[in-house]
Amino acid sequence: MCDAIRLPLSEFTADQVRHYRLDEYVSEYPDGELMATFRRIQIVPYIHHGQLLLAEWPESLKLHQIQDGSLNYQKPELVEIPAKVAMERGAWFDVDPKRIRGILIPGKGRHQSDRVFVLVRPAVDVYERMTHGEWQPVYVGGEFDPID
């Protein structure tokens, strides 16, 4: 499905780094680049109306759950999840320059926060062999992107 993503720390503002304590998510790559690793059940960065934001990342949503309208009552919105690389079951794979399609479910009231889900579809053979996963991310602008 997608267990983690990495994005350069330089993509975030100083306020975001401080507010979300992103320094706790950072590791240094051999080339010296600082990368923030976000894991499922924590937070995930996403782009909404041109802004890079962060929200809870509870799970993934399967493409058919959006296509069949079963979540319409929650007013889902399509967002983009930027990532340099992503991981499933210990296998890291390149994402950049593509972006992963996400689904934003807005929080209701002041006690429930926004949640962003990675949108997934049945895995193609090469992805399944690489990750041993049955579901893979939907890419923005890709064949299965609900916006196209």
Side-chain angles (χ1 to χ4, degrees), residues 31-43:
D31 65 2
E33 186 172 29
L34 296 176
M35 297 291 285
T37 301
F38 300 94
R39 297 186 183 280
R40 192 166 32 91
I41 315 298
Q42 293 178 337
I43 60 174

Side-chain angles (χ1 to χ4, degrees), residues 44-47 61 66 76-82 99-105 115-120 138-140 145-146:
V44 66
Y46 67 101
I47 297 172
L61 283 177
I66 295 300
E77 297 180 45
L78 297 173
V79 297
E80 298 179 8
I81 299 172
R99 290 187 175 156
I100 296 170
R101 176 59 70 201
I103 303 296
L104 167 67
I105 304 290
R115 296 168 292 150
V116 171
F117 298 80
V118 170
L119 188 60
V120 296
V138 170
Y139 292 106
V140 173
D145 189 354

Side-chain angles (χ1 to χ4, degrees), residues 19-136:
H19 179 75
Y20 291 100
R21 299 182 183 152
L22 296 183
D23 52 326
E24 296 174 15
Y25 297 82
V26 173
S27 57
E28 187 173 347
Y29 263 40
D31 65 2
E33 186 172 29
L34 296 176
M35 297 291 285
T37 301
F38 300 94
R39 297 186 183 280
R40 192 166 32 91
I41 315 298
Q42 293 178 337
I43 60 174
V44 66
Y46 67 101
I47 297 172
H48 191 240
H49 300 299
Q51 281 192 296
L52 181 63
L53 305 166
L54 292 115
E56 285 182 43
W57 180 9
E59 282 292 333
S60 296
L61 283 177
K62 295 177 180 162
L63 184 59
H64 69 83
Q65 292 175 284
I66 295 300
Q67 291 171 328
D68 69 12
S70 63
L71 295 174
N72 285 352
Y73 73 98
Q74 293 190 37
K75 301 191 183 333
E77 297 180 45
L78 297 173
V79 297
E80 298 179 8
I81 299 172
K84 188 167 189 165
V85 294
M87 186 216 20
E88 181 172 348
R89 299 179 185 215
W92 287 96
F93 54 94
D94 291 332
V95 174
D96 189 49
K98 298 179 277 189
R99 290 187 175 156
I100 296 170
R101 176 59 70 201
I103 303 296
L104 167 67
I105 304 290
K108 293 182 175 133
R110 58 186 170 138
H111 297 293
Q112 187 181 17
S113 57
D114 292 347
R115 296 168 292 150
V116 171
F117 298 80
V118 170
L119 188 60
V120 296
R121 67 177 186 90
V124 295
D125 287 344
V126 67
Y127 186 89
E128 194 171 347
R129 283 193 307 272
M130 178 179 63
T131 65
H132 304 286
E134 296 178 13
W135 297 90
Q136 74 178 62

